[in-house]
Amino acid sequence: MVDADVEDTSVPVRKSSSKPAASTAKSAAAVQEAEDFASIYLRKVTAELGDDLDKVREAKDFKSSSLPMLIHALKQGGSMYSAEEKRRVVGAMGL
Amino acid sequence: MGKRTVFEANPKAAHTGRHAKRQKTDDSYEQETPAGASIEDEVTSARQLQNALVFDQGSASAFRSGLSLAKRFLDAILYATEEDALPRKRAILREYLDTQKEQGKAERDTTLLSQFTQAWDYAAETNFEPLLAQVTAVLALLLKVFATHAEFTPYGSLLCKTILQPNVARRLVRSLSAPTSKEQVILPALRLLIQITTFNEGAFARTVYARKDFTLEPKILARNIATWKDSQGQTALELQRKPSIRTTSVRYLLAHLKYQDERAKIDIVSNKDVVRAVLDHLTTDPPFLIAEIFSVFTDHVFLDKAIPRHVKSRMLNGRALTHIAGLYRYEAPEGSIGEGERTPDARAHDFLSLVCTSPAYGIMLPTQGFYPHTTDDDEGDAIMEDAEPLLRQDWSDQKPGPVRNLILADFLQSLRPYANILHQELVTKIFAACPELIANYFHQKQDFNYDPKLTSTWIGFSAFLYRTIEIDVPQFFGASKRYRAQPPPIAGLLQSILPQPLTQNVLVKCLNAQSDLISFFAVRVLVVAFYKLRAVLKEFENARAFVKTFEVKQAFKYAKLWETASERLITNFSQRCPPMKVVIKAFHQPAFQKGLKREAVTRLLRLYYEVTPRAALAEKFDVSVPLCNALTQAERLPESAEDKAFCVMELEHWIQMASHTPSMRWWQKNKSLQHSPFVMLLKLLASSAETELYAGIKVLLAAIVRDNEMLQKETSPDALDALIASLSSSCGTSVAVLDFIDECCSRFIKLPVKYFDDIDTLCQKTSPPISDAGPVSPLLMTLVEQWPFKGGKPEKGNPAEPLSQWLSKLLYLLKLIGEDEAVLKLLRDSLVETADKAYQDVLKDSFQWKMGKEKAKEALKLATGADFSGSERSTVSPAPVDKQEDPIKAPINLELPPVEDKKHVGLNRWRKKDIEEAVDDGDVGELILCLCSQHPEIRLQAASNTRQLMAVLDKDQGDLQQLYLLLGELLESAEPYTATPFPYIGGVFAARCVPIIADPTHFLFPKINAFLTSRPAWSISNLPRKFCRTILLAPPDEDGFYHKEVDWFLDYLIDALRTPADMEIFRTTNMFERVISYYSSKSCSIGAKEKIVRLLLRAASVEGATTLITRCGVVAWVRTMLEQRDYRGRALKVLVERLWAGCDKEKVGDWSSGSLDALMTRVGNVKV
């Protein structure tokens, strides 16, 4: 009985100390994964649209300040993929 | 006017020979040393200071030299190079200060440094500006030194008090209001005031404010703040070292905002001139000042909840926002921003993102999301008792109301979200906070067009639209506490899903564009638009479920509103987005043949099927060909791992689409494919090592198998797992085996019943017959049937060897997962029997643990995580996991007929309400049911009351004339039933028709109406048969409503079967035979099956047991259903028990020649 009491009181303490750490680690891993996916996506999309991107650079309205928007626009499409799909792509890369 | 300063004469000299960190101020009077004044370089004692700082009107220049000495001394303390000398210097200063205290009459009248104040007075009176500036500067410096060490705090406090005496402080206003060209006079005064205000954590800020006429005169402050200088050409260091009047004045203002209480702060920021002066010239400020302004404004004004909203609102207007937004173009001088520091444009962005997105900060007005603005916030959220006006609303015509946030709407127009990422972020944040602005924004920006052009503006615009669509749907569509009774206007919602520039025409052009980039971007925009539509529809569904719970009589009408709106939204969306055939055309373009583009366009096609299935199915797109291509492609491993991942995603999209297509032929071989799609998928799963990558495909395959019942799913792992494992690459799979599976599957699908029967026949063959077989996969029967054609006769080279090996392996695995061992043995025996000699041994050893079976078992273990330890080589298979073993089984409802209400309140309840209300609440229905009462007097009264109701309707001449007709026909039909009660079959029918004819949008309205107008009275006994014909056996009036109609009909049957008299009508019209045969038909839904079982249970409760057993053969039927593992097994067993208990045993015994007992026992023994 005494043992059980001791056990009972110790459980919440352990839980509370370990839980936040675990969840932070998990979310950090998810962020890392999303970043990895974003870079894979950007690389692939840039490679696939290479010719057209060259043409855009020659367009009249293209300035050096347009570059960040161009990269942003290319990257943006990554949001079409679910977290699960991103994980699979990153997993397949063995990152 | 003072003399030309040293600084002006020789600017370079000002920066040479001094300590690098020393703040070089521009109060150059300090440098000006009157001729002849002796300068001692270093202060070594307090006495020295005391002597040097004696003011005498006659020798002001000596005092000024003293001031210079003091300044150098103080500088030495502030910017000490030798830490060791510091305590000594501080001690000297303290000693000096002690000598400068002057006791007044009272303790609180003590003053400090009276020499300074005298000099100050003198300088002010004689207009001796250099002296004035110098005294002020040294005082400011002194306070700065006092702030560095706690031991000086009492002196600092005393000095602040001294300066803030009205007769001293009044001198400050003169310096502050000096012409703006006299920086040298204004700046020291400002510095002194900043020091006093911030001294000791703002201990004197209040007093400074109390003397605001001298210290903080708004006009003077505004003038000084507005005195901006073009900082162009100045280096970052210069800007830091030589702050301008504006910089110092702004800092002074910020010091007040930081240290004053709310009342004073409100007073200060309420002055429009001051705030405007700060914000109007932000773009001329150095980065550090911009950072300070935003930091203090944010933390001490906008985030300060004690400052009321209207004060904040006055600070920010359209002009202010434009000036702040001007910082987006700010180019900071080189080196002015330290590493890791945020740039001014980022800071302005943070600030704008904060203040523009919440009503708390004044600029944004609270809105109600997608709902038009109402004056009273709660008005829209209240549940309206009367839904009629809402029901009549035409949603497509509803335009979003006038915009409430006009300032923000104008501000948005000035931003360039297509060219600047931060602008884009800000605009979308504001859109998210005020959805009303989305439609307005694009409406105003008529010149925006999305016509395809390969330019950076088009790309930026595309990115902007993508981001706008991605904005989350606001909670409750913007209503404050919960979903409202009525949905928001569809037009506004649609704008947030497909903003105005995205017209069908333009999107089609983009999809057909020559440029890969343009068509790809258009596909991506459409994908997010579909995602958004899906999210909105989900919210609609939640809202519909929620409003149903409203405790008002019209809750169901509200739910209907949401449902209609949801359909309308889908229709409008389909009209705006390109037709699917355009996407299909794009899909065939060379640009979309590989990589991300291919995946994206397939994803889009899949979304057409998932989100707007009606439109997608109307397209009649043959999914099977691309599915086969995707399968072939997935088989050929692409070069890179990531390409493979995207290929598998594409395949998943096709499978999903195929599963949405009813005409998909999973089992048919295609020219381009070696096998049928099903077997190709099997092969793909079996041969892939990366199970995770194919997890989605496995789920889809399981769904296909489930629908066809070819493999049992009762064991865990199930037969599909075993089949995949038997084909795993580690065991080697030959084409012959896959061909064989293909052939067997297609045969099975053509005639599944035959193979179910074959199992039964097989079980009967043994002696004693296997009566209670465990799980078996019916497909095995097809394998057994087809095997002799492959391995039945001797052939050279034994070509069927791999097949026999595989069959042996499959049987082994099926036994392992827990399929019925006895049946499996019988199957093996059949296989051996029909096999050629060459294969007999292999098949005989099916259950032996050898010949590669270990590998297959490992594959199964790996794929499913199942543990077969202990079962190796054993003849006893592990107990299958009985999934039906649900610990809490809900009791089966016996469907006893409802008891007649003794009080018969239904007779008169309808009188207390409006007719419409009585119809909605079912009171008219209750009155009608009173016609079926077992008491003659109630029936009479009911008939009389019904006539009265008809009279009311006749007088009313409203929309309910159909009800009048219904009641008339009802009374006419009830006429013959005088001695006996009117059958419930008629009464319940009439009662259930009442709400239908009151609602012309009801799916059954046309059928019921046609029936009512066909003849003046009904043949009651024909009613069930009639509607069986028009509902069960006829197409629905509206597409997609067949099952709803059937549900209505079956509910009616259950409700109508209440007495033995009703049962008799059912018997004579063969209703049970009809519904039981419907049960077995392919068009019978699960819901309908459940209702049929309920109907049979009801029949058993109204003395129908004997009829059911003898006329309909229900017991034998139940046995068949149980053996087919019908999902409703438990209810069926209860039914049989009820029938047995309620039947006329003698009659039944005669009918069955005594065989029913045995049948009952067999049924009872079947495990469910």
Side-chain angles (χ1 to χ4, degrees):
Chain A
M1 192 60 206
V2 174
D3 281 352
D5 284 349
V6 172
E7 192 65 33
D8 276 357
T9 51
S10 66
V11 167
V13 177
R14 250 182 297 173
K15 264 190 187 165
S16 64
S17 61
S18 65
K19 215 175 178 181
S23 69
T24 329
K26 207 175 171 185
S27 66
V31 168
Q32 175 69 30
E33 213 155 70
E35 276 173 2
D36 289 340
F37 178 82
S39 54
I40 293 173
Y41 185 83
L42 183 62
R43 179 163 47 74
K44 276 187 75 69
V45 84
T46 316
E48 282 188 26
L49 300 173
D51 293 346
D52 277 353
L53 291 176
D54 289 340
K55 282 183 205 160
V56 173
R57 284 188 191 175
E58 285 158 19
K60 273 185 201 162
D61 64 346
F62 189 85
K63 289 174 278 183
S64 60
S65 60
S66 318
L67 200 61
M69 180 58 89
L70 185 60
I71 295 171
H72 160 73
L74 290 172
K75 248 188 195 173
Q76 206 176 29
S79 66
M80 293 191 306
Y81 298 86
S82 68
E84 163 67 18
E85 286 170 328
K86 288 181 184 171
R87 203 170 54 73
R88 265 158 46 185
V89 173
V90 177
M93 288 290 289
L95 283 172
Chain B
M1 190 68 201
K3 292 188 287 183
R4 200 164 67 109
T5 63
V6 172
F7 179 74
E8 281 158 350
N10 182 10
K12 273 187 189 166
H15 301 303
T16 48
R18 308 294 298 217
H19 190 275
K21 272 177 82 180
R22 183 186 179 280
Q23 187 174 8
K24 184 72 197 88
T25 54
D26 139 306
D27 42 341
S28 29
Y29 284 131
E30 300 157 43
Q31 325 281 310
E32 210 180 347
T33 314
S38 64
I39 302 168
E40 286 174 71
D41 275 347
E42 206 178 335
V43 175
T44 48
S45 70
R47 167 72 55 186
Q48 199 182 343
L49 274 177
Q50 208 178 340
N51 291 340
L53 291 166
V54 177
F55 177 70
D56 179 11
Q57 287 192 359
S59 57
S61 59
F63 185 70
R64 290 189 63 202
S65 315
L67 285 174
S68 299
L69 179 75
K71 181 177 167 9
R72 282 197 300 282
F73 175 62
L74 293 172
D75 279 346
I77 295 178
L78 266 182
Y79 312 108
T81 42
E82 298 162 32
E83 285 293 320
D84 301 344
L86 208 53
R88 193 174 60 83
K89 284 180 180 158
R90 283 208 289 260
I92 293 171
L93 182 59
R94 272 205 318 276
E95 202 184 328
Y96 163 70
L97 291 170
D98 286 335
T99 63
Q100 296 302 309
K101 282 184 189 168
E102 259 176 42
Q103 289 289 337
K105 285 174 197 160
E107 175 81 6
R108 59 189 171 87
D109 291 339
T110 309
T111 55
L112 190 68
L113 295 170
S114 60
Q115 298 294 325
F116 278 65
T117 44
Q118 281 171 29
W120 216 12
D121 278 344
Y122 169 75
E125 275 160 20
T126 58
N127 218 6
F128 190 178
E129 279 177 356
L131 179 62
L132 185 70
Q134 211 176 348
V135 173
T136 323
V138 173
L139 284 173
L141 197 60
L142 253 175
L143 277 169
K144 200 169 181 182
V145 172
F146 291 165
T148 57
H149 209 279
E151 65 188 13
F152 290 124
T153 309
Y155 301 105
S157 302
L158 198 54
L159 183 58
C160 288
K161 263 190 221 162
T162 310
I163 298 172
L164 289 173
Q165 287 169 343
N167 57 341
V168 183
R170 70 194 163 94
R171 302 288 178 206
L172 284 165
V173 72
R174 181 195 153 89
S175 301
L176 292 173
S177 61
T180 49
S181 56
K182 292 190 178 175
E183 278 194 358
Q184 65 277 27
V185 178
I186 301 173
L187 284 174
L190 283 169
R191 284 208 304 276
L192 177 61
L193 282 170
I194 293 175
Q195 290 303 334
I196 299 175
T197 314
T198 56
F199 186 75
N200 198 9
E201 295 298 317
F204 293 90
R206 223 175 165 168
T207 326
V208 176
Y209 187 69
R211 310 262 180 279
K212 63 181 175 192
D213 287 347
F214 309 136
T215 57
L216 197 72
E217 213 292 308
K219 268 190 192 154
I220 301 172
L221 183 67
R223 186 208 66 173
N224 287 344
I225 289 177
T227 312
W228 59 279
K229 269 200 311 194
D230 193 358
S231 58
Q232 281 287 314
Q234 282 182 281
T235 63
L237 200 66
E238 279 170 349
L239 287 170
Q240 278 276 11
R241 279 191 175 177
K242 259 184 74 183
S244 63
I245 296 182
R246 172 174 164 84
T247 305
T248 320
S249 306
V250 169
R251 280 181 162 166
Y252 177 48
L253 171 72
L254 297 181
H256 275 288
L257 295 180
K258 220 164 161 178
Y259 291 111
Q260 294 297 359
D261 60 10
E262 279 69 36
R263 196 183 48 78
K265 276 201 280 190
I266 291 171
D267 196 23
I268 295 169
V269 296
S270 294
N271 190 297
K272 274 186 186 168
D273 294 336
V274 173
V275 177
R276 190 189 290 171
V278 175
L279 298 178
D280 276 8
H281 308 292
L282 271 176
T283 45
T284 64
D285 286 330
F288 62 85
L289 186 66
I290 294 173
E292 284 172 34
I293 293 172
F294 286 132
S295 160
V296 174
F297 268 36
T298 307
D299 295 341
H300 298 278
V301 182
F302 286 96
L303 291 179
D304 187 340
K305 289 188 178 146
I307 298 182
R309 185 182 176 278
H310 67 89
V311 175
K312 298 172 186 171
S313 166
R314 276 206 296 268
M315 288 176 74
L316 291 177
N317 50 25
R319 177 189 156 121
L321 292 181
T322 314
H323 282 296
I324 298 172
L327 288 174
Y328 281 118
R329 295 189 299 273
Y330 187 93
E331 281 177 25
E334 212 172 309
S336 59
I337 297 163
E339 212 171 302
E341 273 180 43
R342 292 178 67 71
T343 52
D345 56 341
R347 286 185 193 275
H349 177 68
D350 292 347
F351 181 74
L352 287 173
S353 302
L354 176 81
V355 296
C356 294
T357 54
S358 165
Y361 306 123
I363 188 84
M364 180 190 152
L365 291 167
T367 65
Q368 282 146 14
F370 285 109
Y371 286 97
H373 177 70
T374 47
T375 39
D376 181 2
D377 279 357
D378 287 335
E379 195 183 300
D381 288 337
I383 303 163
M384 288 171 71
E385 278 293 313
D386 183 16
E388 285 306 319
L390 299 169
L391 287 166
R392 292 202 198 98
Q393 241 165 359
D394 189 354
W395 296 103
S396 58
D397 287 349
Q398 267 228 350
K399 291 267 177 288
V403 169
R404 196 162 185 236
N405 278 291
L406 285 170
I407 298 179
L408 284 179
D410 284 345
F411 173 56
L412 287 178
Q413 296 294 328
S414 69
L415 297 172
R416 300 167 67 230
Y418 48 88
N420 182 309
I421 297 180
L422 289 179
H423 281 210
Q424 190 175 100
E425 199 177 305
L426 179 63
V427 174
T428 45
K429 274 183 181 168
I430 296 176
F431 279 170
C434 320
E436 59 160 7
L437 292 177
I438 302 178
N440 177 272
Y441 178 84
F442 290 105
H443 186 70
Q444 303 269 319
K445 280 262 182 220
Q446 289 288 6
D447 53 332
F448 263 23
N449 94 48
Y450 195 58
D451 271 337
K453 256 181 246 150
L454 196 55
T455 58
S456 55
T457 309
W458 188 89
I459 292 175
F461 193 31
S462 188
F464 171 50
L465 289 170
Y466 185 104
R467 205 152 166 177
T468 304
I469 299 169
E470 265 194 325
I471 296 170
D472 290 337
V473 189
Q475 195 187 24
F476 310 138
F477 293 103
S480 49
K481 290 168 207 134
R482 55 179 179 181
Y483 290 111
R484 286 195 192 168
Q486 76 281 28
I490 295 297
L493 260 180
L494 190 64
Q495 284 286 334
S496 80
I497 302 171
L498 277 176
Q500 194 163 301
L502 295 175
T503 60
Q504 192 177 50
N505 196 4
V506 165
L507 283 167
V508 169
K509 272 193 215 167
C510 291
L511 286 172
N512 291 332
Q514 290 296 317
S515 154
D516 291 4
L517 187 143
I518 290 178
S519 47
F520 179 48
F521 271 43
V523 166
R524 295 196 322 184
V525 162
L526 280 170
V527 167
V528 282
F530 270 99
Y531 282 164
K532 180 76 171 276
L533 176 65
R534 186 158 63 184
V536 172
L537 291 176
K538 191 158 177 270
E539 279 295 295
F540 266 85
E541 189 49 43
N542 293 345
R544 201 175 65 86
F546 178 77
V547 296
K548 265 191 186 169
T549 62
F550 282 2
E551 285 176 356
V552 293
K553 58 183 182 184
Q554 282 163 328
F556 79 97
K557 284 197 176 173
Y558 292 132
K560 181 100 186 148
L561 280 178
W562 283 93
E563 201 177 312
T564 320
S566 157
E567 279 161 20
R568 193 63 71 87
L569 181 64
I570 295 177
T571 314
N572 290 4
F573 177 87
S574 298
Q575 283 165 359
R576 283 281 297 280
C577 86
M580 196 174 142
K581 62 177 177 226
V582 178
V583 183
I584 294 170
K585 196 178 151 204
F587 160 76
H588 288 301
Q589 297 296 318
F592 285 105
Q593 293 314 309
K594 60 173 185 168
L596 292 177
K597 283 177 278 180
R598 175 95 178 165
E599 195 278 332
V601 78
T602 325
R603 185 179 291 267
L604 177 58
L605 286 171
R606 170 182 172 171
L607 286 166
Y608 269 93
Y609 277 97
E610 284 179 351
V611 187
T612 55
R614 217 178 293 169
L617 291 175
E619 202 53 56
K620 304 226 179 334
F621 173 49
D622 186 6
V623 177
S624 56
V625 178
L627 172 67
C628 295
N629 294 341
L631 278 169
T632 330
Q633 206 180 350
E635 238 196 344
R636 275 189 260 122
L637 291 178
E639 308 91 48
S640 71
E642 61 197 27
D643 282 342
K644 194 174 167 192
F646 286 108
C647 266
V648 175
M649 265 183 230
E650 190 202 325
L651 183 58
E652 270 181 44
H653 299 327
W654 286 118
I655 299 172
Q656 270 298 359
M657 279 185 253
S659 61
H660 277 89
T661 321
S663 59
M664 177 63 202
R665 296 182 183 124
W666 288 107
W667 324 97
Q668 201 167 56
K669 273 196 198 177
N670 177 284
K671 275 180 206 163
S672 60
L673 277 183
Q674 203 177 3
H675 309 286
S676 69
F678 176 76
V679 171
M680 285 297 283
L681 285 174
L682 259 187
K683 187 181 160 194
L684 198 67
L685 273 180
S687 60
S688 168
E690 295 141 288
T691 45
E692 198 194 0
L693 206 56
Y694 293 94
I697 295 178
K698 169 82 194 297
V699 173
L700 296 167
L701 200 62
I704 301 167
V705 173
R706 189 181 49 229
D707 292 345
N708 290 288
E709 296 181 40
M710 58 164 50
L711 296 168
Q712 59 80 19
K713 291 189 67 64
E714 292 152 53
T715 60
S716 172
D718 60 21
L720 179 66
D721 292 320
L723 181 61
I724 295 170
S726 74
L727 297 168
S728 74
S729 53
S730 56
C731 316
T733 312
S734 82
V735 180
V737 173
L738 294 174
D739 279 340
F740 183 66
I741 299 176
D742 228 350
E743 189 174 338
C744 292
C745 285
S746 70
R747 280 178 186 277
F748 180 90
I749 293 303
K750 273 180 208 152
L751 209 61
V753 184
K754 173 184 183 306
Y755 301 102
F756 291 125
D757 288 348
D758 281 359
I759 294 185
D760 290 348
T761 323
L762 189 76
C763 292
Q764 297 300 324
K765 266 189 190 170
T766 55
S767 55
I770 304 169
S771 58
D772 184 16
V776 178
S777 299
L779 181 68
L780 283 177
M781 293 314 300
T782 328
L783 300 181
V784 170
E785 180 198 68
Q786 294 299 314
W787 160 245
F789 302 106
K790 298 283 174 190
K793 50 183 187 283
E795 259 180 276
K796 205 178 164 192
N798 295 340
E801 181 66 33
L803 200 54
S804 61
Q805 298 274 5
W806 172 74
L807 281 170
S808 157
K809 210 162 22 185
L810 181 66
L811 287 178
Y812 170 78
L813 289 175
L814 290 177
K815 196 199 84 177
L816 205 60
I817 61 167
E819 288 208 0
D820 192 282
E821 212 171 321
V823 179
L824 287 179
K825 273 187 181 162
L826 286 174
L827 289 169
R828 180 200 58 186
D829 294 344
S830 307
L831 287 171
V832 174
E833 221 170 88
T834 53
D836 181 57
K837 265 188 189 168
Y839 315 121
Q840 278 181 350
D841 287 347
V842 178
L843 290 169
K844 263 185 202 161
D845 291 345
S846 286
F847 302 126
Q848 302 298 317
W849 182 66
K850 57 181 176 185
M851 289 181 298
K853 284 173 187 155
E854 180 60 12
K855 280 184 189 165
K857 190 173 129 186
E858 281 306 314
L860 185 59
K861 267 165 93 171
L862 200 70
T864 60
D867 181 17
F868 301 107
S869 54
S871 65
E872 285 170 18
R873 293 184 225 183
S874 124
T875 50
V876 183
S877 63
V881 179
D882 192 349
K883 283 184 183 166
Q884 312 224 338
E885 204 65 52
D886 190 351
I888 312 157
K889 282 181 179 167
I892 302 291
N893 187 346
L894 297 181
E895 296 298 336
L896 301 178
V899 185
E900 191 180 327
D901 175 22
K902 281 182 189 160
K903 291 182 184 163
H904 297 97
V905 288
L907 278 174
N908 290 306
R909 196 188 271 163
W910 60 274
R911 294 182 203 270
K912 295 171 191 158
K913 303 178 184 174
D914 288 341
I915 300 289
E916 285 89 351
E917 210 176 317
V919 168
D920 287 345
D921 295 353
D923 296 331
V924 174
E926 277 186 42
L927 169 67
I928 292 173
L929 287 183
C930 290
L931 284 172
C932 312
S933 168
Q934 51 185 323
H935 312 292
E937 61 276 22
I938 298 291
R939 295 202 294 271
L940 281 173
Q941 207 179 331
S944 145
N945 286 5
T946 309
R947 279 191 197 95
Q948 287 170 23
L949 174 58
M950 283 173 71
V952 174
L953 287 169
D954 196 26
K955 206 169 115 195
D956 192 31
Q957 288 293 336
D959 296 337
L960 291 168
Q961 286 313 297
Q962 284 298 89
L963 181 60
Y964 180 84
L965 178 70
L966 171 79
L967 296 176
E969 289 180 14
L970 171 70
L971 289 178
E972 198 68 33
S973 316
E975 199 79 33
Y977 297 88
T978 43
T980 53
F982 184 52
Y984 274 101
I985 289 179
V988 169
F989 171 75
R992 283 178 170 256
C993 283
V994 170
I996 297 178
I997 54 165
D999 174 15
T1001 62
H1002 196 281
F1003 53 87
L1004 268 173
F1005 185 82
K1007 279 184 182 171
I1008 298 295
N1009 207 26
F1011 172 75
L1012 292 181
T1013 46
S1014 61
R1015 61 187 61 181
W1018 316 325
S1019 158
I1020 299 302
S1021 57
N1022 263 339
L1023 276 178
R1025 197 159 50 193
K1026 161 92 185 154
F1027 281 94
C1028 179
R1029 252 197 323 272
T1030 53
I1031 291 180
L1032 278 193
L1033 307 177
D1037 280 321
E1038 270 185 78
D1039 282 349
F1041 280 96
Y1042 176 73
H1043 290 293
K1044 280 194 174 179
E1045 289 189 3
V1046 171
D1047 281 349
W1048 181 89
F1049 175 64
L1050 291 173
D1051 280 334
Y1052 155 60
L1053 289 186
I1054 297 169
D1055 199 13
L1057 186 51
R1058 294 193 187 189
T1059 61
D1062 299 318
M1063 182 65 209
E1064 185 57 17
I1065 296 176
F1066 270 64
R1067 184 185 69 79
T1068 51
T1069 53
N1070 300 333
M1071 280 319 290
F1072 294 111
E1073 288 89 331
R1074 285 165 204 265
V1075 294
I1076 288 174
S1077 63
Y1078 178 67
Y1079 188 100
S1080 311
S1081 86
K1082 285 217 163 180
S1083 50
C1084 185
S1085 70
I1086 291 171
K1089 286 187 181 182
E1090 268 158 19
K1091 285 191 196 325
I1092 291 172
V1093 175
R1094 281 176 54 205
L1095 178 66
L1096 295 175
L1097 278 164
R1098 169 65 66 84
S1101 307
V1102 289
E1103 302 174 15
T1106 315
T1107 309
L1108 285 184
I1109 293 176
T1110 56
R1111 282 183 67 109
C1112 313
V1114 165
V1115 180
W1117 175 77
V1118 167
R1119 197 198 110 208
T1120 320
M1121 290 300 120
L1122 290 178
E1123 283 173 0
Q1124 286 179 12
R1125 305 207 156 267
D1126 192 281
Y1127 191 72
R1128 289 146 291 277
R1130 282 178 53 230
L1132 288 171
K1133 281 188 83 169
V1134 172
L1135 170 68
V1136 171
E1137 284 161 18
R1138 298 267 303 158
L1139 290 177
W1140 186 242
C1143 69
D1144 179 344
K1145 301 255 173 10
E1146 199 179 326
K1147 204 172 167 188
V1148 166
D1150 283 352
W1151 170 78
S1152 67
S1153 323
S1155 67
L1156 198 68
D1157 278 346
L1159 190 61
M1160 288 300 298
T1161 324
R1162 280 186 67 178
V1163 170
N1165 286 342
V1166 178
K1167 265 204 253 169
V1168 289

